[in-house]
Amino acid sequence: MIIDVSDVRGSSMTTMAYTASFAIVIILIVLIVVNRFLKPYVNIFYSIKDVMMSAYTGDYSKRVHGGALSDSKEVADMLNSLLEKLQNIFDEIDKKVCVFIQNKNQVQNSDPLININNTIDQLSEIYKFKQTIEHDENFEDIYERLAYVFINKFSIRDFSFIEADILSGVKKVVYSTNSCHCSVEEGSYRADRINMNVDSTNFDLTCKAYNEPDLEYLCDKESLKSIAEKIRVTFSKQIISAGAESFSKTLSVGAAMFPEDSDSIWKCIKFADMSLYHAKENGRNQVVIFDPSLLINSSVSDQF
C-alpha cells in the first residue's frame, strides 16, 4: 500500500516556518525591550567608571551622564552634585592651606588631595621643629638644628648663618659648613642692603661679595666688559645652518651698571640702550660700556 504524505510534509514545513518566525519575532521584541531598559543603566555605569578614573588622577571636573531615564538621571544628578562639592572644597582647601607654605620651587601635583597632604606634612614638620627649638638652651643648638634641616631636608651642603645686629650694624658668622664665601663682616651685602631674601638661583653671580677662585664677577666695569666680550666672541664663532647654507653672525653689546651709573634703574636701562646704539653706529660687533661722555647733547637726564 502506498500512502501519499506530501500534504503532511508541506503542512509540517509550514508549521515549522511559522514557529521559527514567531520565535524570531519574540526574540527581537525581547532584545528591543531589554536594550531599551538596560542600555541607560549600562551607559551610566560606563560614565561613572570614566568619572571615577578621572577623579582617581586628580581631575574632579568630569560629570556623569544620566541618560533619558528618570532613575538614571536622578543617580547622575546626585553623583554630579557630590563631585561638584568635592571639587570646590578641595580647591578651596588647597588654596588656603598652601598659603602657609609658599615654596616657589615645590612641584605642584595635579591632584589637590596630594598637594593638601604634602602641605600638611610640611606644616607638621615645621610645628615639630618649632616645638623643639623652643626648649633649646642656646642659639648654638638652634643653629645646629637649622644646619641639620638644610643638609638632610634640602640637600644644601655649603652654607653659612650670619647674625646681623640692626642697631649696631655688627655682623658675624655664627655657623658655616665650609667657611663663609662672603666678606659680610667687612661691609654690606645684598640681603642686608635691600632687606629681602636673595635667591642666587634666579641669576648667576647675584651676590657681588661672593669670593670663589676661577670665577668672574660683575663687580666693576672692567669685569662687566670682560664677560660681555666673551659673550660677543663666543656668539660670533657659532655656525648657523639654514638648509644647504651656513653662516655666522655678530652682535653688539651695550651695558650700564646699577647703581654706579645712576640710582634710577630706568635711567640705567636707558644708558645701556644708548651704549648699544653707540656700538652699532661705530662699526658694530663691539662692546660699549656706558660712559658719561655719551650724554653730551642728550636730554636723557631730564627724562627720568
Side-chain angles (χ1 to χ4, degrees), residues 1 10 31 41 52 65 74 95 98 101 106 115 119 122 128-129 161 178 181 185 192 194 196 212 219 235 296 302:
M1 182 177 65
L31 289 176
Y41 296 102
M52 291 298 103
H65 299 289
E74 183 178 356
K95 293 176 183 178
C98 286
I101 299 180
Q106 181 178 352
N115 290 331
T119 303
Q122 295 180 56
K128 289 187 289 186
F129 180 80
F161 297 150
N178 190 26
H181 298 285
E185 296 176 337
D192 183 32
I194 66 177
M196 292 177 61
E212 184 70 17
C219 298
F235 181 82
I296 298 176
D302 301 328

Side-chain angles (χ1 to χ4, degrees), residues 44-63:
I44 194 175
F45 170 79
Y46 282 109
S47 180
I48 293 174
K49 179 182 177 182
D50 293 339
V51 170
M52 291 298 103
M53 288 296 295
S54 298
Y56 182 78
T57 60
D59 181 8
Y60 299 91
S61 63
K62 296 290 185 66
R63 296 294 179 262

Side-chain angles (χ1 to χ4, degrees), residues 4 21 92 104 118 211 256 258 264 286:
D4 187 3
S21 300
E92 286 299 316
K104 66 179 182 179
N118 292 338
N211 297 316
F258 174 84
S264 168
Q286 58 181 297

Side-chain angles (χ1 to χ4, degrees), residues 3 33 45 53 92 165 173:
I3 300 175
V33 172
F45 170 79
M53 288 296 295
E92 286 299 316
D165 190 328
V173 179

Side-chain angles (χ1 to χ4, degrees), residues 105-120:
N105 295 321
Q106 181 178 352
V107 177
Q108 293 291 313
N109 195 284
S110 59
D111 190 343
L113 279 178
I114 296 178
N115 290 331
I116 293 169
N117 183 66
N118 292 338
T119 303
I120 292 176

